[in-house]
Amino acid sequence: MSYDKISVPENGEQITYDEEADELNVPDDPIIPIIHGDGIGKDVGPAAQKVLEAAANATGRNIEWMRVYAGESAREKYDENLPDDTVEAIKEFNVAIKGPLTTPVGAGFRSLNVALRKTLDLYANVRPTYHLDGVPSPVKNPSAMDMVTFRENTEDVYAGIEWEAGTDEVQQVKEFVEEEMGYDSTIHDGPVGIGVKPITEFGSKRLVREAIDYAIENDRDSVTLVHKGNIMKFTEGAFRDWGYEVAEEEYSEDVITEDTLWDEYDGEAPEGKLVVKDRIADNMLQQQLTRTSDYDVIATMNLNGDYMSDAAGAQIGGLGIAPGANFGESRCLAEPVHGSAPKHAGKDKANPTAMILSGRLMLEYMGWKDAGKLVRDAVEETISSGQVTYDLERQIEGGTKLSTSEYAEAVVERIEELA
Ligand code: NAD
């Protein structure tokens, strides 16, 4: 494959996917595409790159970075938001990392993040939320949180099927809903915007499968299906039903449902069994705060997952440290939970931890568990020694405020000491 808008590094090898064995072949010097991102992406992107490179070097490997462009940097260079070359490169090289991209509210283009996730069919957005020692938190016992959220990435109200008020299209949809489908006094008169919320059996089941596989592989206690099926019965309710179907039909050896747990085992899970349960989203948001340790792996739809993981991120110290990654068949695009925080852009002050720890998820996906552990340990030691960026420094006593780049250097030094 040749690219007009990307220079492929001369050194390094491609990560490939062996379809028959269903596994990635990861060389010791992989080429990895990176989008630094908009706003604070300019600060946190290069910082994460340095730290991940140090962890690779410390474990006898090397990363050959390949800069690819999206958002502002693509507009400046190529006068387009998302060049095809960027999407193709992420497809071809299988594993990549990106910083945040700005999405204008209301007018303008649709979200590039959503476009990337949909085009690359990155159907699971995975957000681990655990507390790092030394990070200030607004709750009494932040270490009770050790949750991994699997958020469906390609459906729900995020699918982008919506029509603007005042257009012929919205009028046609309104008439169809009222006249053909019989909802004649449901939508108020006057200007209306209408969106569609598709939730499919296919999309729900593959997401729940991912969550259950992860829970089994990582020896987790439970998977909770989070939905608002009491109100949206045929979309969110169907997600819950399909989720239980997967659990009962495909994992009957490994899984027990919460109902069976109480009916037959008095609430005590038998050794080695994964409990599958469900919670209504609003209840879940309060239980996440009040009964934190009851929740482990979460499987949910796009919008619930977005709200839940930001709220969970706040519980363990805020967006500056909350990592994420998007997974599809044989493909990973790591990205922090936070956005481009334009107010702080280009000031060398934003916290790069979220992007660094997103990179850790990418390293683990590549099978570089030792490098991933080094990254986590070095970040934790740096923060608990009080060397932090402005967002954490203002919340702890006696901390030292570092710039983005100084903090990245401090983490690199720890990696070198720990290796
Ligand atoms: P945001 O996450 O960019 O910022 C919210 C606030 O969180 C900031 O003002 C800042 O105080 C804090 N914050 C976030 N990241 C931080 C960091 N690394 N270090 C220190 N503080 C940090 O959310 P927003 O303001 O709602 O969105 C800004 C833009 O980012 C929007 O265009 C939005 O669409 C986009 N966005 C992109 C992504 C993505 O690329 N995946 C995700 C969320 C939002």
Side-chain angles (χ1 to χ4, degrees), residues 15 24 26-28 30 32 48-59 61-65 95-97 324-325 327 332-335 355-376 415:
I15 296 177
L24 287 182
V26 182
D28 277 345
I32 299 187
Q49 207 172 317
K50 273 198 193 123
V51 170
L52 300 173
E53 211 165 86
N57 294 343
T59 51
R61 307 166 179 120
N62 188 39
I63 297 175
E64 291 291 340
W65 296 105
V95 172
I97 181 164
F327 298 106
C332 163
L333 176 63
E335 64 170 331
M355 180 122 176
I356 293 171
L357 293 176
S358 303
R360 172 196 170 212
L361 296 175
M362 178 185 85
L363 298 180
E364 290 188 337
Y365 183 78
M366 289 157 53
W368 294 8
K369 299 245 154 86
D370 49 354
K373 183 169 182 328
L374 260 184
V375 171
R376 180 190 159 142
I415 287 179

Side-chain angles (χ1 to χ4, degrees), residues 304-374:
N304 294 335
D306 200 10
Y307 293 158
M308 278 183 60
S309 50
D310 268 33
Q315 257 173 267
I316 50 98
L319 285 177
I321 60 160
N326 303 290
F327 298 106
E329 266 353 303
S330 76
R331 205 171 281 157
C332 163
L333 176 63
E335 64 170 331
V337 172
H338 66 70
S340 55
K343 193 168 81 184
H344 305 305
K347 296 185 181 158
D348 194 22
K349 82 184 258 207
N351 191 347
T353 306
M355 180 122 176
I356 293 171
L357 293 176
S358 303
R360 172 196 170 212
L361 296 175
M362 178 185 85
L363 298 180
E364 290 188 337
Y365 183 78
M366 289 157 53
W368 294 8
K369 299 245 154 86
D370 49 354
K373 183 169 182 328
L374 260 184

Side-chain angles (χ1 to χ4, degrees), residues 2-35:
S2 68
Y3 300 97
D4 296 334
K5 294 174 182 153
I6 292 169
S7 25
V8 180
E10 281 173 15
N11 300 319
E13 283 178 76
Q14 200 178 323
I15 296 177
T16 54
Y17 173 58
D18 179 345
E19 219 172 315
E20 218 160 277
D22 188 25
E23 60 184 31
L24 287 182
N25 295 320
V26 182
D28 277 345
D29 57 347
I31 297 174
I32 299 187
I34 181 165
I35 299 172

Side-chain angles (χ1 to χ4, degrees), residues 196-217:
V196 168
K197 177 183 173 78
I199 302 289
T200 64
E201 178 179 1
F202 171 75
S204 304
K205 284 190 167 175
R206 70 176 174 174
L207 188 270
V208 173
R209 251 178 234 124
E210 263 320 285
I212 294 180
D213 284 342
Y214 173 90
I216 292 172
E217 270 163 37

Side-chain angles (χ1 to χ4, degrees), residues 38 40 44 98-105 111-114 117 127 151 306 310 318-321 326 335-344 349-355 389-392 394:
D38 296 337
I40 56 168
V44 301
K98 69 174 275 290
L101 296 170
T102 298
T103 309
V105 176
S111 166
L112 298 177
N113 301 303
V114 174
R117 292 172 197 158
R127 297 180 168 183
R151 167 188 170 197
D306 200 10
D310 268 33
L319 285 177
I321 60 160
N326 303 290
E335 64 170 331
V337 172
H338 66 70
S340 55
K343 193 168 81 184
H344 305 305
K349 82 184 258 207
N351 191 347
T353 306
M355 180 122 176
T389 44
Y390 85 98
D391 52 323
L392 299 186
R394 65 188 173 188

Side-chain angles (χ1 to χ4, degrees), residues 139-190:
V139 301
K140 284 192 201 132
N141 182 15
S143 55
M145 167 79 69
D146 183 6
M147 217 165 78
V148 184
T149 306
F150 283 70
R151 167 188 170 197
E152 206 290 325
N153 238 351
T154 60
E155 303 196 323
D156 203 353
V157 284
Y158 277 64
I161 312 173
E162 54 176 17
W163 298 275
E164 194 177 356
T167 58
D168 288 346
E169 287 86 353
V170 87
Q171 196 50 36
Q172 274 178 39
V173 177
K174 185 168 184 269
E175 278 166 22
F176 173 74
V177 169
E178 289 176 340
E179 288 160 26
E180 306 271 328
M181 306 309 286
Y183 290 92
D184 53 357
S185 50
T186 311
I187 304 175
H188 295 302
D189 287 339

